[in-house]
Amino acid sequence: MGWSGSNELRAVLDRARRHVLGNGLQVTGKITVPVTEETPDLYRLALAMRRVKVDSTSTTVPIYVQSLDMWLQSPLNGGRSLLEVLDAESPLIDRPAERSAEKAAVGRAWEQIHTILAAPEHQQWLELITAARVTTTDLTSGRMRDVARVLAELPAQGASPVELAEHALGDTKALTDTPLRRRVLRLLAAARGIDPPSTGAERAALWEQFGVLDSGLVSRVLTLGVRLEGHPAAVAISGAAADAGIHQVWTLGQLRTWAATLAAGEVYVCENPTVVQAAERELGAQCRPLVCTEGQPSEAVRKLMSTARGTVHWRGDFDWTGLRTTGRACAEFDATPWLMDAATYREALRRGDSETLKAADTRAESPWDPELAEAVETSGRAVMEERLIPELVECLRR
């Protein structure tokens, strides 16, 4: 009986394929093939291979892989080895070897990442990458290595994403709309405890916090009653605006080009431009120096505040982002929280309905007043700065 093309030989070869793929393509061991209605003569095939009697009543037939290999190599049965027969049908892949190679590649990728981020100042990035959901493909493709190279360049001192990509990776397009950019921005957002950006403005604002200026938007800072020193133009413009009691917007480019700094004295910082609008309307030229971050502090805000030579009074919304931003300002600018305490929060909370804290935002601490963070967590409510405008304006009155 010729077995070529039979259901019986097909069943044996299918089992043999699974067997050798699982043992590193070794022609050893034994397979067990079930007898079915489609393979009634399976025991006869086994008898032909082994030259020994096989129980024809059994529901399974054992076959030694080496016997199968020798049988196939007979000229009567094709004259090819088992591996040759299987590979001709569909290329054989040594799965254990492939997994071993993949494991080694993953190990090398992690070694590269640890080397790139070995400096103490990069420890945060290393921890965030380790905690992130990093796939094997992310590692073996080199994507996470490139992410590490980009992060190692931060803060970027005003470079654009294109310049950052060229300097870190030698590819000007690496941080355009690519998976690499999305991965980097997710880690930047995680470092700030916020949701990943979904709009161009949000991406630009997040880049700016790490010294990267998106060429599509200009980093700016809104001020009222603030006088600058340095270049005569900065002195003249800020003085005229302060004398007139009107707000002024400064770009990062202006602050850098004119080497502009804050005049000595205290300065107040708020988060929402509505506060500036109210102070301009109610106080005009009688407003104390006021800087508005307009949300997350931009690079322009950070540049200006780094020149402060007096008490910095800082505040934001009563939510996790506001607490987090205020905490960073205390550390970076030696700021003093301004009406950012538990008593003020509870009073504002009683005045009306307040929105629920964002579920995706993570809890922040308030080391200057630990009771504040506890109160925010207990209520689960955020109070926006605008509710406190009467108190804020009164504090800003000269």
Side-chain angles (χ1 to χ4, degrees):
M1 175 180 181
W3 295 102
S4 179
S6 67
N7 290 340
E8 286 79 4
L9 182 58
R10 179 73 272 147
V12 170
L13 291 177
D14 287 345
R15 285 290 172 130
R17 174 179 288 275
R18 290 197 291 271
H19 178 79
V20 298
L21 286 177
N23 72 359
L25 306 186
Q26 299 299 308
V27 184
T28 58
K30 182 175 69 174
I31 60 175
T32 301
V33 187
V35 179
T36 68
E37 292 181 358
E38 288 75 26
T39 60
D41 291 325
L42 189 59
Y43 73 96
R44 295 184 184 276
L45 175 58
L47 177 61
M49 291 179 187
R50 296 176 58 190
R51 302 296 181 186
V52 295
K53 187 176 180 180
V54 178
D55 184 2
S56 61
T57 64
S58 176
T59 58
T60 60
V61 173
I63 296 175
Y64 287 96
V65 178
Q66 191 173 16
S67 297
L68 170 61
D69 180 54
M70 293 175 62
W71 183 82
L72 288 170
Q73 290 186 55
S74 169
L76 295 176
N77 301 313
R80 295 185 298 172
S81 70
L82 172 62
L83 296 183
E84 288 174 327
V85 171
L86 295 177
D87 193 62
E89 293 179 342
S90 178
L92 292 172
I93 299 175
D94 188 345
R95 297 298 182 188
E98 187 180 63
R99 287 192 292 270
S100 179
E102 183 177 79
K103 183 177 180 180
V106 168
R108 288 193 298 272
W110 279 117
E111 287 178 5
Q112 290 174 335
I113 291 170
H114 278 77
T115 299
I116 294 167
L117 300 175
E121 62 267 25
H122 300 325
Q123 183 63 33
Q124 178 191 34
W125 299 128
L126 193 57
E127 292 175 356
L128 286 172
I129 289 177
T130 302
R133 290 181 292 181
V134 179
T135 67
T136 298
T137 301
D138 285 334
L139 292 166
T140 57
S141 68
R143 183 181 301 162
M144 291 312 299
R145 176 201 60 213
D146 290 346
V147 167
R149 287 175 175 168
V150 172
L151 296 176
E153 297 293 328
L154 301 179
Q157 304 302 319
S160 68
V162 171
E163 292 171 307
L164 175 61
E166 172 62 25
H167 189 266
L169 305 172
D171 180 0
T172 58
K173 294 182 172 56
L175 292 175
T176 56
D177 189 12
T178 62
L180 175 64
R181 183 186 74 172
R182 290 190 287 275
R183 175 66 78 173
V184 170
L185 287 173
R186 281 198 294 272
L187 288 170
L188 297 186
R192 288 293 185 254
I194 60 177
D195 294 334
S198 57
T199 66
E202 289 177 351
R203 284 191 292 272
L206 182 56
W207 275 127
E208 284 182 17
Q209 293 185 55
F210 296 90
V212 182
L213 298 187
D214 193 318
S215 58
L217 293 171
V218 177
S219 182
R220 50 175 263 166
V221 53
L222 172 63
T223 66
L224 176 66
V226 168
R227 298 177 186 272
L228 301 185
E229 297 177 348
H231 194 279
V235 174
I237 294 172
S238 64
D243 289 340
I246 60 174
H247 67 274
Q248 178 64 39
V249 175
W250 302 93
T251 68
L252 180 60
Q254 289 173 314
L255 297 176
R256 283 181 169 162
T257 301
W258 291 341
T261 63
L262 285 167
E266 64 179 359
V267 60
Y268 288 75
V269 180
C270 66
E271 181 175 340
N272 299 282
T274 305
V275 176
V276 178
Q277 183 179 8
E280 183 177 86
R281 181 185 66 246
E282 299 294 330
L283 305 176
Q286 298 305 308
C287 182
R288 298 176 186 272
L290 176 63
V291 172
C292 181
T293 65
E294 298 184 272
Q296 289 285 334
S298 66
E299 186 66 13
V301 170
R302 294 165 60 85
K303 169 67 175 173
L304 184 62
M305 296 311 302
S306 68
T307 69
R309 291 174 291 157
T311 302
V312 174
H313 305 273
W314 193 291
R315 67 159 294 102
D317 291 326
F318 281 121
D319 58 11
W320 296 135
T321 300
L323 267 61
R324 192 174 295 110
T325 304
T326 301
R328 284 199 295 267
C330 291
E332 187 172 357
F333 308 121
D334 195 25
T336 299
W338 167 40
L339 291 183
M340 283 291 286
D341 56 82
T344 302
Y345 169 70
R346 292 194 180 100
E347 172 58 29
L349 197 61
R350 285 194 290 267
R351 294 184 186 176
D353 293 335
S354 300
E355 63 185 71
T356 303
L357 291 168
K358 293 181 180 179
D361 202 359
T362 55
R363 188 184 192 278
E365 301 299 331
S366 54
W368 64 92
D369 182 3
E371 190 178 341
L372 172 58
E374 294 176 7
V376 172
E377 183 173 43
T378 299
S379 73
R381 298 285 177 173
V383 176
M384 298 298 101
E385 201 173 40
E386 290 86 343
R387 186 172 290 179
L388 297 171
I389 282 179
E391 289 92 334
L392 300 181
V393 169
E394 190 58 35
C395 286
L396 294 167
R397 188 184 303 276
R398 289 185 184 275

